[in-house]
Amino acid sequence: MENGLSRRSVSGKSKLANQIRISYVILLLPSIIFMAYAFYNMWTINERYKDMLSSVVAASEFSLDFKEDFDYETYLLIVGNVALADSKIPEYLSDAREVVERLEDYTDTKDNRKRLESAQKYLNNLETYIDRIEDNMNYEDRYEANITIWENDVQIVTSLLQETINEYVYYENRQLQTAQQETSQFYFDIVKISTGLFAFIVIFIMVMSFWGPLWITRPIEEQVKNEQKQLRKAEFELLQAQINPHFLYNTLDAIVWSAEAGNQKQVVSMVGSLSDFFRSSLNKGKEIVTIREDLQHVRSYLEIQQIRYQDILSYEIDVPETIYDYVIPKITIQPVVENALYHGIKNRRGGGKIIVTGGDLGEFIQITVKDDGMGISDERLVSIRENLKSDKPEDNTIYGLYNINERIKLSFGDEYGVGIDSTEGVGTIVNIRLPKILTEIIKK
């Protein structure tokens, strides 16, 4: 059964959980941001460094002897020592183009891209010169023209190409040096930021160690205070209900009447039962008692009432001793028995019987109060059950039952409490569900 207090309890727990989450976020957020920043920059620098290194490695594959080899192969072609199909010139040009194309994928600087564009143009020019030389070789008088192409064009362009690639490697190496300096500076910044973040966390923890417990435990304290306040209120109202002036006056009148009638044994019995009844009600201020003690309270009450209503009331208490040492909020069973008497038995012609039973049902203890009185209509039964679930009952006639239900839930949790079943004209059954907690556990 849910009630107002359980909802307030859930609200308090939710508020506490949110405060704990906020404190975790405050503590972790700077670290998370810093780690994300550091990892991203480290990844960026590493990728850039890797690309530049790959670029230099690829450029180094461009043979340092390219000029000498290409010039020599061209000369052999001109003097007729080798045919173009057997020459290494196509291989040199192909390898050189492959290197330049790979370098275009690596570099990201504007100047080096221009250098690679120039290198591509030089390679195109060399192909053009080789084609001219090959065409000239078809004529016997073109030897001098080919030598001129070799001296004035091929050797100059190969020199320019070699120089362009060397410049590319030089500036890529400078980029590597710059990246290395930036990496060192970045790691230095990381150390500074880490030191500052560590100092912040230490200061934050020191502040939180003082203010955090107060901030986090405040809702718990407020919740406990509210629950204790509600519990005390319910107990006080229930105790007031037990010390009913009418019950006391009627009992004292019955004692006086028995004394005047000379029924000494009855007087002694009633006085003893009344003394036991109020002793159990007060019970040295204990809020939780054993089922044995609460049953004694019920027995004292029924002994008094049976003398008063001996013509209409009979009762039976049949609770096994195996559950006597389990705990129960004090003055729990007696108000239920009182309801059975005043709302069930007294309104039935011919009287009736109240039976108190109990037992261990495995996961919980159950005390049952059964009467064969007037019973309750279906409409009225629905109203009672709804009022037991509400924050505050609208029906004052069930206030005692509501207080019992509330006190059990406050003490042990929402899975315990009072349940009621009734059939009009047949009787009513009230089940009191309790946890399996022994007295020794409460003391500890």
Side-chain angles (χ1 to χ4, degrees):
M1 297 182 184
E2 294 183 356
N3 52 44
L5 186 62
S6 65
R7 287 192 293 270
R8 289 192 296 270
S9 177
V10 170
S11 175
K13 292 177 181 177
S14 177
K15 182 179 178 181
L16 173 60
N18 287 335
Q19 288 179 334
I20 294 176
R21 292 189 190 104
I22 291 171
S23 65
Y24 285 159
V25 170
I26 293 174
L27 183 61
L28 292 176
L29 190 58
S31 300
I32 294 173
I33 294 174
F34 169 71
M35 289 176 63
Y37 165 80
F39 280 123
Y40 173 76
N41 281 276
M42 288 174 66
W43 178 83
T44 302
I45 292 173
N46 182 66
E47 288 298 312
R48 182 185 174 194
Y49 192 84
K50 184 171 67 175
D51 287 344
M52 287 187 292
L53 188 60
S54 299
S55 175
V56 172
V57 171
S60 66
E61 293 177 3
F62 193 91
S63 175
L64 296 176
D65 298 327
F66 175 82
K67 173 177 171 54
E68 289 76 8
D69 293 341
F70 192 89
D71 290 349
Y72 180 69
E73 283 293 321
T74 305
Y75 177 76
L76 293 178
L77 177 65
I78 293 172
V79 298
N81 285 357
V82 64
L84 183 61
D86 300 325
S87 173
K88 295 182 180 179
I89 291 175
E91 181 182 349
Y92 290 155
L93 290 174
S94 176
D95 291 345
R97 284 192 184 279
E98 182 179 347
V99 171
V100 172
E101 289 173 357
R102 286 170 60 191
L103 294 179
E104 288 175 347
D105 295 332
Y106 292 130
T107 187
D108 57 355
T109 61
K110 184 177 180 181
D111 291 339
N112 268 350
R113 285 196 172 276
K114 288 183 178 180
R115 291 186 180 94
L116 293 178
E117 291 175 2
S118 297
Q120 287 282 19
K121 291 178 181 179
Y122 294 148
L123 290 172
N124 292 336
N125 290 337
L126 287 177
E127 284 187 350
T128 301
Y129 300 148
I130 296 301
D131 290 340
R132 288 179 185 175
I133 291 173
E134 187 178 17
D135 290 340
N136 290 335
M137 290 180 69
N138 294 324
Y139 303 96
E140 295 182 359
D141 58 346
R142 298 290 179 89
Y143 174 78
E144 293 297 331
N146 282 343
I147 290 295
T148 301
I149 293 173
W150 179 66
E151 291 177 346
N152 295 337
D153 295 325
V154 173
Q155 294 189 57
I156 292 175
V157 171
T158 54
S159 296
L160 291 173
L161 179 60
Q162 191 77 52
E163 183 180 350
T164 299
I165 295 300
N166 289 338
E167 287 180 357
Y168 176 91
V169 172
Y170 171 76
Y171 284 106
E172 283 296 303
N173 279 324
R174 287 190 58 181
Q175 288 288 327
L176 279 173
Q177 293 176 349
T178 302
Q180 186 177 16
Q181 293 174 356
E182 290 177 352
T183 302
S184 300
Q185 182 61 41
F186 172 73
Y187 284 124
F188 181 70
D189 293 339
I190 289 294
V191 171
K192 290 194 295 184
I193 296 173
S194 299
T195 304
L197 184 61
F198 177 75
F200 166 78
I201 292 175
V202 170
I203 295 172
F204 178 80
I205 291 175
M206 292 176 64
V207 172
M208 286 297 294
S209 66
F210 179 77
W211 291 105
L214 300 177
W215 182 53
I216 292 175
T217 58
R218 187 175 292 112
I220 299 178
E221 294 173 353
E222 292 176 355
Q223 178 183 336
V224 171
K225 287 179 181 178
N226 289 334
E227 289 185 356
Q228 289 295 328
K229 184 178 180 181
Q230 293 291 330
L231 184 59
R232 296 292 184 182
K233 181 181 178 183
E235 289 177 342
F236 179 70
E237 291 172 345
L238 192 60
L239 187 58
Q240 282 184 318
Q242 300 317 300
I243 309 176
N244 190 321
H246 295 290
F247 168 73
L248 181 59
Y249 296 155
N250 292 334
T251 303
L252 292 176
D253 283 342
I255 292 173
V256 171
W257 175 81
S258 295
E260 290 178 349
N263 195 340
Q264 183 179 357
K265 289 184 179 180
Q266 192 176 72
V267 170
V268 172
S269 176
M270 290 186 71
V271 170
S273 296
L274 185 63
S275 174
D276 290 340
F277 176 81
F278 284 112
R279 185 183 299 111
S280 299
S281 296
L282 298 173
N283 204 7
K284 299 180 182 179
K286 289 195 296 183
E287 299 171 0
I288 303 294
V289 298
T290 64
I291 291 176
R292 183 197 308 274
E293 292 170 313
D294 212 49
L295 286 174
Q296 181 57 46
H297 183 65
V298 173
R299 189 173 284 108
S300 300
Y301 174 80
L302 285 172
E303 286 172 355
I304 295 171
Q305 296 293 38
Q306 190 178 43
I307 294 173
R308 292 181 57 204
Y309 301 105
Q310 54 187 332
D311 295 332
I312 64 170
L313 172 64
S314 63
Y315 71 88
E316 179 183 343
I317 299 177
D318 185 18
V319 177
E321 293 187 6
T322 53
I323 68 169
Y324 273 14
D325 290 330
Y326 289 104
V327 298
I328 186 173
K330 71 176 181 181
I331 316 177
T332 293
I333 308 173
Q334 184 271 331
V336 181
V337 171
E338 184 175 341
N339 281 344
L341 173 60
Y342 283 100
H343 298 293
I345 303 300
K346 282 186 65 176
N347 294 328
R348 177 182 177 182
R349 181 174 298 180
K353 186 174 184 180
I354 297 174
I355 302 175
V356 180
T357 58
D360 184 344
L361 299 188
E363 295 182 356
F364 58 89
I365 300 296
Q366 182 166 291
I367 304 294
T368 300
V369 178
K370 178 181 179 181
D371 69 75
D372 55 1
M374 290 291 294
I376 303 171
S377 66
D378 292 341
E379 183 179 353
R380 171 68 176 157
L381 185 61
V382 171
S383 175
I384 291 173
R385 287 172 174 170
E386 290 298 323
N387 274 277
L388 285 176
K389 295 178 183 178
S390 65
D391 294 348
K392 185 176 182 181
E394 298 177 358
D395 188 349
N396 291 331
T397 60
I398 70 153
Y399 208 70
L401 196 63
Y402 173 83
N403 272 340
I404 295 168
N405 189 50
E406 191 79 357
R407 290 171 65 229
I408 292 173
K409 291 183 178 298
L410 282 167
S411 299
F412 305 122
D414 288 346
E415 62 269 34
Y416 305 104
V418 174
I420 183 169
D421 288 299
S422 185
T423 303
E424 191 171 12
V426 177
T428 301
I429 298 175
V430 175
N431 292 313
I432 303 170
R433 178 178 290 193
L434 301 164
K436 296 179 69 173
I437 302 176
L438 292 170
T439 314
E440 288 76 9
I441 298 175
I442 292 293
K443 289 179 180 179
K444 289 178 183 180

